[in-house]
Amino acid sequence: MDAIESKHLTKYYGKIRGVEDVSLTVEQGAFFGFIGPNGAGKSTTIRTLLGLIGPTAGEARVLGLDIRRDREKLLARTGYLPSEAAFWPGMRVRDVLRLSADLRRKDCRKTAGELCDRLQLDASRKVEELSLGNRKKAAIVCALQHDPELLILDEPTSGLDPLMQREFFDILRERNRAGTTVFLSSHILPEVQHNCTRAAILRSGRVVACGSVEELSRTGAKRIALRGRAPLDALEGVRDLRVTAEEASFLYSGEMAPLLSALAAGDVRDLSISDPDLDEIFLHYYAEGGAQG
């Protein structure tokens, strides 16, 4: 059984496209990245998968449960972290955590206490007094304290400082090693590259690529950096060109012979050719449309 399986999942808000024809498979125990800029449809996909909004077309099963018929069972076994957390005013953090645990009919005090300690969250504070980062911490504890089988995290690190981000991902990796499936939505590509084994790229509401992070990096493009000058204007396959008086850097996916001819015709004093990182791979899929996954 897969943790998530969607087939042609589509959501329209009237005539406005949310997501269209999203087909995904996330294996149990995976650490899966869901990549796309703001507005690509990541949150709409997540809310549809959780049964929080109804699909216009298509179908999906999460933990083997139908998102339409089995929403309550699905939510009981899932930890969901929305991109923006909201709490009832007047409550203290410990009240929010207890309410979340009570809704699942579980005693989560031990795990909640451990998570609060690791995230340096003061459970005695009132929620309206919390900073953005501390509100995010409270939402993280709510999502994780009941030891769910599946974690669905929508832009989880916004508001967290770098030290807390590192601790947060330490916690996620521990959970994943213990068997928890992690579905991480993010527009911060290093988060996906450093933590996920598989990923899907969402573009304008559609999945344009899906596979292992290593596979997604195999576009054939190279990052070229040179010191000096070379006639690059006529080269095909040049993207993300950055030029200063003494240096040039660009992503290149064309034939090597024209590149070598252009470099030989110029005054190149130093040259490096390297594989692009995931940030640059992402630009490839958005510039070219990528390949349907």
Side-chain angles (χ1 to χ4, degrees):
M1 182 185 71
D2 293 312
I4 297 173
E5 183 182 14
S6 70
K7 296 179 180 179
H8 312 296
L9 199 64
T10 297
K11 176 62 182 178
Y12 269 79
Y13 301 95
K15 295 183 178 180
I16 300 173
R17 184 269 307 156
V19 293
E20 191 167 17
D21 199 31
V22 172
S23 296
L24 280 177
T25 299
V26 179
E27 296 179 354
Q28 279 193 316
F31 203 132
F32 192 93
F34 197 45
I35 312 169
N38 292 330
K42 301 188 303 298
S43 295
T44 294
T45 303
I46 285 172
R47 291 168 185 157
T48 306
L49 287 173
L50 289 169
L52 301 177
I53 55 177
T56 304
E59 58 182 318
R61 299 183 73 83
V62 176
L63 298 174
L65 301 169
D66 184 89
I67 60 171
R68 290 182 175 92
R69 297 192 304 267
D70 304 315
R71 184 180 66 173
E72 289 188 11
K73 293 178 182 178
L74 184 163
L75 292 173
R77 297 167 59 187
T78 303
Y80 168 48
L81 177 65
S83 56
E84 296 182 6
F87 304 110
W88 289 106
M91 298 182 73
R92 298 188 184 274
V93 171
R94 59 173 173 258
D95 301 323
V96 171
L97 301 182
R98 185 166 57 248
L99 174 61
S100 178
D102 288 347
L103 289 171
R104 293 180 168 87
R105 298 180 175 88
K106 293 191 69 175
D107 183 351
C108 303
R109 286 174 293 181
K110 183 176 183 294
T111 303
E114 293 170 351
L115 290 169
C116 287
D117 288 343
R118 293 186 65 172
L119 295 172
Q120 299 177 19
L121 175 63
D122 183 354
S124 67
R125 296 281 302 278
K126 288 187 176 181
V127 292
E128 60 264 34
E129 299 172 352
L130 298 179
S131 64
L132 172 62
N134 281 319
R135 287 201 302 274
K136 181 55 68 77
K137 292 176 189 178
I140 289 170
V141 178
C142 285
L144 271 65
Q145 65 175 350
H146 61 293
D147 296 321
E149 300 170 51
L150 169 65
L151 285 170
I152 295 184
L153 312 169
D154 192 1
E155 304 286 355
T157 59
S158 61
L160 297 181
D161 65 46
L163 288 176
M164 284 300 103
Q165 289 182 26
R166 184 170 64 181
E167 185 65 30
F168 171 65
F169 279 110
D170 284 346
I171 294 169
L172 291 188
R173 285 190 290 269
E174 290 167 12
R175 293 293 184 97
N176 183 242
R177 285 194 295 268
T180 302
T181 305
V182 180
F183 185 90
L184 172 72
S185 163
S186 181
H187 66 270
I188 303 173
L189 300 181
E191 290 184 350
V192 174
Q193 188 166 25
H194 296 154
N195 296 284
C196 299
T197 53
R198 293 182 61 81
I201 297 177
L202 200 66
R203 179 177 185 260
S204 301
R206 287 179 172 268
V207 174
V208 295
C210 184
S212 72
V213 171
E214 181 181 359
E215 289 169 346
L216 294 177
S217 300
R218 295 175 187 158
T219 64
K222 297 291 183 182
R223 167 59 63 182
I224 312 294
L226 62 90
R227 186 181 304 121
R229 295 185 179 181
L232 304 173
D233 293 344
L235 276 178
E236 295 184 1
V238 173
R239 297 192 306 281
D240 192 29
L241 178 62
R242 307 168 193 172
V243 180
T244 66
E246 293 294 326
E247 297 179 344
S249 174
F250 55 95
L251 201 62
Y252 184 69
S253 57
E255 297 292 330
M256 291 306 294
L259 172 65
L260 295 174
S261 296
L263 296 175
D267 177 23
V268 178
R269 298 186 296 277
D270 194 13
L271 175 70
S272 71
I273 302 177
S274 59
D275 291 323
D277 60 24
L278 193 57
D279 284 331
E280 294 165 326
I281 300 303
F282 187 75
L283 289 176
H284 164 81
Y285 283 107
Y286 265 70
E288 304 298 331
Q292 183 71 29

